[in-house]
Amino acid sequence: MRSDLLHYINGEWTESSGKDTIEVINPATEEVIGTISNGTKEDVDRAVKAARAAFPHFSQTSKSDRIDLLHRIAEEYEKRKDDFVEMITQELGAPVKMSNKVHYNMGLSHFKEAAKQLDTFEFTENRGSTLIRKESIGVSGLITPWNFPTNQTSTKLASAFAAGSPVVLKPSELTPYAAIILAEVFEAAGVPKGVFNLVNGSGETVGDAISSHPDIDFVSFTGSGAVGQKISENAAKTVKRVALELGGKSPLIVLDDYDVKKAAKIAVSNVLANSGQVCTAATRTLVSKAKHDEFVEAVKEVLPKFPVGDPRDENTFYGPLVAEKQYDRVQDYIKKGEEEGATLLAGGTGKPEGLEKGYYVKPTVFTNVNNDMVIAREEIFGPVMSIITYDDLEDAIRIANDTIYGLAGYVVGDDPKTVEYVASSIRAGRISINTPPADFSAPFGGYKQSGIGREWGDYGIEEYLEIKSVVGMSS
Ligand code: NAP
Ligand code: MG
């Protein structure tokens, strides 16, 4: 069992001012795998002081210094591949293959992408006699969730470092180990002291201290809407800028001209990936009335190709949910779907056969879902798909947009004109067409209640910058 009771503050592994600890659990075995410190307000204060002290120098480093730093981080990150993969499988329950191909890679890609973007990023612009400067925003507070332990942290950290902003990070208490390895990566890469500070602990204490700290200039948060609102309220008191990534209830529109089997495969794999714990998950599958029966048959056929199971088993597509609380929450939603009168096509409540230990949820598909049902309106964050039928294209777009969220949308179809029309009609920050290649330069963030701001690539870097006009500079 691991014991990682130290925070990383001012370039040193340092004890918490408190004695409280938090146990970290492997969701596949329900066993305790380690403990971390439940940090205090004083710990956050120390971390903010260190970041503030690092700010004058770090914010003035040259672009090439910061590109070098990001390259060194990527190199050191790659050396720790086995540790990341092992730890993400242990703390999140992600299948080894996914920990490697998805989690490890996404984390790495953000550092590489930030270095690439920085190369062509312009921090100054001349407009007549005015000089416009983009300057580091100051000290940033980063609060991250558990569903992508390396992606959610790395996208924020890569952008902050690229912009010259020192940070205080609080990762989720459920998955703190990936962040601890990341701290070791930064140490090995020579991140200047005070530029990166890690304070472990609960959202209620450490997260709250970050969002209300008067000496933090910007808070970037990913997680639930309820916590996002609290963070905004706290931040408002000292007029901090806030970026929020708050999840969604994203539609996947299956157009009639697309191969039904291919569409079913895309829809099912999207909903089950990472056990459905994905903010951009396409949890509302919109199919025309004409194609519904054929689509449902195709879904039943492809479901066994994406098996739930032990994360260590090579054939497993998705493992357990991250925690018992999330398991209970998802069970409640499945019950709710049945009560609301949706038709259970596959899965349902209870554990999958042979997986009684661990927080496993059956691959669950509802059809005859009405967009007014709770299962179509709220983020379930589990392997639960809702099939909703539409009359025609306009009806599909209306249903797709009938949500408080706007993080993502998906269109599967063959006719480029129709696809483009649907893509431009969905009110969401990221639309994916069929099976697109990954693009780490594509801005990521939500419309409506899915959030404020954009991460990834050059847009991500902009979040950590202030804009200054120097008027009359060359007059
Ligand atoms: P959450 O509570 O919003 O957690 C996200 C992060 O915020 C964690 O680091 C958490 O700390 C911290 N936090 C909690 N309360 C805080 C506060 N008062 N002030 C500052 N920070 C605080 O999410 P959750 O409870 O883990 O998951 C609940 C639901 O949120 C999920 O079912 C899902 O619907 C949604 N969610 C969305 C995303 C996304 O990618 N958008 C990610 C995760 C969850 P702790 O370590 O104490 O939890
Ligand atoms: Mg929480």
Side-chain angles (χ1 to χ4, degrees), residues 326-375:
Q326 290 300 118
Y327 175 85
D328 291 342
R329 204 183 122 99
V330 173
Q331 295 296 311
D332 286 347
Y333 276 115
I334 297 174
K335 268 182 230 145
K336 187 84 196 160
E338 290 184 280
E339 283 161 21
E340 286 180 306
T343 308
L344 192 62
L345 195 73
T349 52
K351 301 264 175 92
E353 221 185 290
L355 293 168
E356 281 74 26
K357 200 158 188 79
Y359 311 123
Y360 295 96
V361 175
K362 295 175 191 166
T364 298
V365 182
F366 283 110
T367 189
N368 298 318
V369 176
N370 180 313
N371 201 51
D372 293 330
M373 291 178 182
V374 171
I375 55 165

Side-chain angles (χ1 to χ4, degrees), residues 199-384:
V199 181
N200 275 312
S202 76
E204 289 72 18
T205 309
V206 177
D208 187 79
I210 288 174
S211 63
S212 52
H213 204 290
D215 222 14
I216 286 182
D217 303 281
F218 170 56
V219 178
S220 179
F221 168 78
T222 301
S224 64
V227 172
Q229 286 174 19
K230 261 192 217 159
I231 284 172
S232 295
E233 282 167 24
N234 273 353
K237 289 174 193 144
T238 48
V239 197
K240 273 188 225 333
R241 204 195 291 170
V242 171
L244 304 172
E245 200 276 85
L246 307 176
K249 194 72 199 173
S250 300
L252 181 148
I253 300 182
V254 180
L255 299 176
D256 277 356
D257 65 354
Y258 201 73
D259 181 90
V260 171
K261 278 199 183 132
K262 265 172 33 191
K265 213 168 157 188
I266 293 171
V268 167
S269 63
N270 182 306
V271 169
L272 300 184
N274 214 36
S275 314
Q277 304 167 124
V278 181
C279 45
T280 52
T283 47
R284 292 184 298 143
T285 313
L286 276 50
V287 186
S288 77
K289 286 199 170 116
K291 289 276 183 177
H292 174 266
D293 293 355
E294 205 186 325
F295 184 78
V296 159
E297 283 313 308
V299 165
K300 280 199 229 160
E301 210 179 296
V302 300
L303 263 181
K305 297 202 168 91
F306 301 95
V308 56
D310 184 337
R312 305 239 170 238
D313 183 340
E314 265 201 14
N315 296 319
T316 293
F317 182 71
Y318 78 90
L321 297 193
V322 70
E324 189 169 18
K325 192 179 126 200
Q326 290 300 118
Y327 175 85
D328 291 342
R329 204 183 122 99
V330 173
Q331 295 296 311
D332 286 347
Y333 276 115
I334 297 174
K335 268 182 230 145
K336 187 84 196 160
E338 290 184 280
E339 283 161 21
E340 286 180 306
T343 308
L344 192 62
L345 195 73
T349 52
K351 301 264 175 92
E353 221 185 290
L355 293 168
E356 281 74 26
K357 200 158 188 79
Y359 311 123
Y360 295 96
V361 175
K362 295 175 191 166
T364 298
V365 182
F366 283 110
T367 189
N368 298 318
V369 176
N370 180 313
N371 201 51
D372 293 330
M373 291 178 182
V374 171
I375 55 165
R377 303 207 79 76
E378 296 182 12
E379 187 173 50
I380 298 175
F381 238 55
V384 183

